[in-house]
Amino acid sequence: MAVQATRSKEEMNGFRPSVARAVAGVLDRSLFAKTVPLAAAIISENKLISRYRRDLEKSKEILSADRISAIAPHPDKSLASQGKKCLLLNPAVKPTAPETWGTVLKEGVDKSELEVIPYNLNLDYEYFSALDVLSVVLPPELHDEIPSGFNIAGHVAHLNLREAYLPYKNLIGEIIVDKNPHIRTVINKVDNVGSESEFRTFAYEVLAGPDDLDVEVVCDVMAGIGPFAVPAGKRGVFVWANDMNPESYRYLQEAIQRNKVGTYVRPFNEDGRTFIHNAADSVYAASQAGDHALIQTKVRRHLRGAAGTADETPPPQKIPVPPTISHFVMNLPAMAYTFVHHFRGLYAGHEGLFAPNTETKLPLVHVHCFALKSDDEVPLLDICERLTSKLGVKMVPGDAEKPGEVSIHNVRDVAPAKRMWCASFRLPREVAFAARG
């Protein structure tokens, strides 16, 4: 009787990176290259691939590994160039041991529709997730709370590293940038919230990427008292910051005034559902009216012959408000996803402001939410189903820069079986340009 193939931890360890400790804080990506020996089923005719894939999935003989398609080009490059493909099999299936083959494989071979051959699957640094990489570059004593979760504002990831991880902070930042295409800058908070500022603003250090928080206009739909809006304003980011709670709004105004960021940060006290459209209209109106920030550049010093030096104050620089919002941040995890259907018609009648008419992309929406704490795709699919139901457009886990796909990352655990996530997606055209209700 044939042995049914199942995935054991030992077999799937082949898909984990080898230990690759960073030397002197330098990440050597070449150390992550590895070859996983597998078996592959060569299909006699491509039209049979779908049937055999389905049957092998039922018998659990097909490869099931994160971020790897079970359908691969034929290992012979000349045949691959002709479109020939194969199905990668579970590591428990051995090409030279028919006793490890199930009924589907055996019958396919008997019919000459399949051939089971050895297959070398080559993996490299690009394949492994941030958590995979951090788990092998950080020492074992730091594996309990690997800092793979973070908040996002635009292209900026905000970390709050514990002291034990500070010696590896730049390495952590570098890996986060590598593994999150929409992240360009990683910053770490360097003081305790509330200790230096009663309004929960914070100083930061750049761990990776440019010291550039300029994301044009950010709309912070649930801004609270400004923990992200105020620091962003200090870096020259226009922020339309809103909070429905009158008390939070009052402190938000005070934080803006005390930190002298009023030229960039504008406070609002509205229901977030109506604020989404109002913000888009308000930003566009401000741009059309020529609204701008005035920035005084540094004093220049010039020699004036034998008399020595003289100071010259250049005219202030005008920073115009752009016509569109680049990012919507919705940091209210208990209910933020229920707001997303209010994006419908956000830019109705303004198609000319965006690609392909200009280089401007539709806004990225960052939705914080709660879901199951799990390392498989269950919480990701759950989040996408919720977004799909609210947007009316099919959304699936993937790359936020691709239409219909959502980048989802772990922010932090909030209970033994509950985790906070941040789901980011580019607003679909059919939503942004729909007629307003």
Side-chain angles (χ1 to χ4, degrees):
M1 184 175 179
V3 177
Q4 180 172 324
T6 57
R7 292 196 302 171
S8 70
K9 282 189 176 181
E10 292 76 16
E11 288 158 345
M12 296 314 295
N13 276 341
F15 295 87
R16 303 284 297 170
S18 303
V19 174
R21 296 279 180 260
V23 179
V26 177
L27 179 64
D28 187 347
R29 294 167 179 80
S30 68
L31 296 178
F32 288 82
K34 68 183 304 183
T35 299
V36 182
L38 297 173
I42 304 298
I43 315 296
S44 60
E45 299 180 71
N46 280 355
K47 67 180 182 181
L48 300 174
I49 289 177
S50 295
R51 175 167 66 83
Y52 271 109
R53 180 181 186 177
R54 182 180 63 250
D55 292 345
L56 289 168
E57 283 177 344
K58 289 180 180 178
S59 66
K60 301 188 184 301
E61 293 172 273
I62 204 163
L63 176 67
S64 177
D66 294 339
R67 305 181 299 282
I68 296 178
S69 172
I71 301 177
H74 195 290
D76 185 318
K77 290 184 179 179
S78 63
L79 293 175
S81 66
Q82 299 171 29
K84 295 289 288 183
K85 299 182 184 300
C86 64
L87 293 174
L88 304 184
L89 301 176
N90 186 299
V93 177
K94 307 302 179 185
T96 58
E99 64 271 17
T100 66
W101 304 355
T103 303
V104 176
L105 279 179
K106 285 188 172 181
E107 290 182 352
V109 171
D110 290 343
K111 294 177 183 178
S112 299
E113 292 179 347
L114 296 182
E115 178 187 1
V116 181
I117 67 167
Y119 186 98
N120 286 329
L121 177 65
N122 296 314
L123 303 178
D124 59 16
Y125 176 78
E126 295 303 316
Y127 165 71
F128 298 107
S129 69
L131 186 59
D132 289 336
V133 176
L134 288 168
S135 68
V136 296
V137 299
L138 294 176
E141 61 269 21
L142 295 182
H143 286 186
D144 288 343
E145 296 182 29
I146 292 178
S148 57
F150 44 84
N151 289 309
I152 287 180
H155 66 257
V156 182
H158 297 250
L159 298 182
N160 186 5
L161 294 178
R162 292 170 46 208
E163 185 176 357
Y165 294 92
L166 294 180
Y168 308 93
K169 60 186 180 182
N170 296 108
L171 195 64
I172 293 168
E174 182 180 3
I175 292 168
I176 288 174
V177 169
D178 279 351
K179 298 301 177 180
N180 296 274
H182 57 290
I183 297 297
R184 298 202 310 272
T185 298
V186 179
I187 64 176
N188 181 48
K189 184 168 68 69
V190 295
D191 62 87
N192 293 324
V193 171
S195 60
E196 282 79 9
S197 169
E198 63 181 294
F199 299 116
R200 296 178 62 236
T201 62
F202 56 84
Y204 68 88
E205 59 180 340
V206 175
L207 304 185
D211 186 2
D212 173 20
L213 305 191
D214 183 5
V215 288
E216 294 187 338
V217 180
V218 171
C219 177
D220 194 344
V221 182
M222 300 99 172
I225 59 178
F228 295 112
V230 171
K234 286 185 175 182
R235 303 303 301 174
V237 178
F238 288 106
V239 185
W240 261 238
N242 175 72
D243 202 273
M244 185 178 177
N245 185 314
E247 193 72 3
S248 295
Y249 173 66
R250 180 170 71 85
Y251 283 114
L252 172 63
Q253 290 179 302
E254 289 189 32
I256 291 170
Q257 182 179 4
R258 289 196 178 196
N259 288 276
K260 301 178 181 179
V261 292
T263 189
Y264 281 110
V265 183
R266 305 190 183 189
F268 299 85
N269 181 211
E270 301 178 12
D271 186 320
R273 298 169 179 82
T274 56
F275 176 69
I276 290 170
H277 276 184
N278 291 346
D281 295 342
S282 173
V283 168
Y284 180 72
S287 176
Q288 292 298 102
D291 282 11
H292 56 270
L294 279 178
I295 305 300
Q296 183 62 60
T297 53
K298 293 181 179 179
V299 172
R300 293 196 295 261
R301 300 182 68 86
H302 295 276
L303 288 176
R304 186 186 296 165
T309 62
D311 294 346
E312 177 183 309
T313 302
Q317 180 184 5
K318 276 189 178 182
I319 310 294
V321 174
T324 61
I325 295 171
S326 301
H327 298 265
F328 282 86
V329 178
M330 304 172 72
N331 192 358
L332 188 63
M335 60 186 300
Y337 80 93
T338 66
F339 285 52
V340 298
H341 70 279
H342 292 283
F343 285 97
R344 190 165 189 82
L346 184 74
Y347 283 112
H350 291 291
E351 291 85 348
L353 295 174
F354 299 94
N357 304 295
T358 70
E359 294 184 358
T360 302
K361 297 179 181 180
L362 282 163
L364 274 171
V365 182
H366 309 280
V367 183
H368 286 74
C369 54
F370 294 128
L372 180 71
K373 178 183 175 181
S374 175
D375 293 329
D376 56 22
E377 286 201 336
V378 171
L380 312 187
L381 294 173
D382 171 47
I383 291 168
C384 286
E385 286 176 6
R386 284 186 258 166
L387 293 176
T388 296
S389 69
K390 296 299 181 181
L391 289 170
V393 175
K394 180 67 175 177
M395 306 298 287
V396 298
D399 181 353
E401 291 298 339
K402 295 180 180 178
E405 295 189 9
V406 186
S407 296
I408 305 173
H409 78 267
N410 164 28
V411 177
R412 65 177 182 271
D413 293 343
V414 294
K418 189 177 182 181
R419 178 171 286 168
M420 185 192 298
W421 304 82
C422 181
S424 302
F425 60 91
R426 187 73 66 180
L427 191 64
R429 295 180 64 84
E430 54 265 56
V431 175
F433 301 139
R436 291 191 179 183

